[in-house]
Amino acid sequence: TPNKAELRMKLKSFFSNVYRDEYTVEIIDKRQIEPVGSKETFRICTVNNHDTYCEFHFRDNNDKLLVLLDMNGTLSEKDISGYIGYGYNVLTIKPFGMYQTAGKSQFFYDVQSMVTHCIFADSNDLVSIRTNEVLCCFDYIRNTRKINGRITVAGTGQGALVSLVSGLYEDRIDKIV
């Protein structure tokens, strides 16, 4: 039977288009939120021109990071506040082609069609594109904030699959829910 490392390598072979992409960051808003810490809103733009909209709720502690992949726009401020109340630093990721990033496209049709067009143009699959976006967000947070603890990633539907694939490439992810 294969060991854990062999299984990981075999699973990675299914997602050969996942890599740590180069990116730029645009800070949209930064503010202190009393009494819990701060909130930073930013956009990650990869070299393939995929924009990802993120909000990072940073508490004064540095030990727990919860990453929420908001693939369908159902996360509410109440949900996020609940996680912050449990002591988490919370990073919400809203993927390329949705929400604030949808308007940047030169294509004027629905989001799924636009994303499908980009997949064909990039010769890439959607899970790999989304995973690359998540890895860029992890790198940005790691480089700007001192998160010492492990990472928990949560997602439903496509977000759950992206969470699992991200776990193959990010060693600090210790829990996927």
Side-chain angles (χ1 to χ4, degrees), residues 2 14 38-39 43 59 65 67 91 98-99 115 120 128 134:
F14 290 112
S38 62
K39 176 181 173 183
R43 184 177 296 126
R59 292 181 51 89
L65 175 62
V67 179
L91 172 64
M98 303 179 82
Y99 314 104
V115 170
F120 287 127
S128 294
V134 168

Side-chain angles (χ1 to χ4, degrees), residues 49 102-109 114 117-118:
N49 208 24
K104 191 172 182 184
S105 171
Q106 71 244 19
F107 307 107
F108 299 104
Y109 41 86
M114 187 267 308
H117 176 87
C118 290

Side-chain angles (χ1 to χ4, degrees), residues 41-52:
T41 305
F42 59 95
R43 184 177 296 126
I44 299 275
C45 183
T46 67
V47 292
N48 291 321
N49 208 24
H50 296 160
D51 283 1
T52 305

Side-chain angles (χ1 to χ4, degrees), residues 4 9 15 21 34 41 48 60 62 77-78 80 91 101 104 108 123 130 135 140 143 145 152 162 168 170 172 176:
K4 187 176 179 180
M9 290 305 295
F15 300 98
D21 215 347
E34 298 299 331
T41 305
N48 291 321
D60 294 331
N62 294 334
E77 285 297 321
K78 184 179 177 183
I80 295 167
L91 172 64
T101 64
K104 191 172 182 184
F108 299 104
S123 300
R130 298 285 190 241
L135 294 175
Y140 172 70
N143 291 331
R145 302 291 183 152
T152 300
V162 171
L168 293 172
E170 177 58 60
R172 291 183 4 172
I176 299 169

Side-chain angles (χ1 to χ4, degrees), residues 31-39 56-64 84-85 87-90 145-148:
R31 65 178 70 175
Q32 287 298 118
I33 299 177
E34 298 299 331
V36 292
S38 62
K39 176 181 173 183
F56 183 57
H57 303 262
F58 183 72
R59 292 181 51 89
D60 294 331
N61 63 3
N62 294 334
D63 58 346
K64 294 194 288 187
I84 292 170
Y88 284 98
N89 297 300
V90 178
R145 302 291 183 152
K146 302 295 183 214
I147 304 293
N148 299 323

Side-chain angles (χ1 to χ4, degrees), residues 144-170:
T144 59
R145 302 291 183 152
K146 302 295 183 214
I147 304 293
N148 299 323
R150 305 290 283 173
I151 300 170
T152 300
V153 182
T156 59
Q158 182 188 92
L161 181 57
V162 171
S163 298
L164 289 169
V165 176
S166 297
L168 293 172
Y169 291 89
E170 177 58 60

Side-chain angles (χ1 to χ4, degrees), residues 13 22 56 63 69 100 108 137 139 173:
S13 71
E22 292 183 35
F56 183 57
D63 58 346
L69 304 179
Q100 292 85 344
F108 299 104
C137 294
D139 286 347
I173 294 176

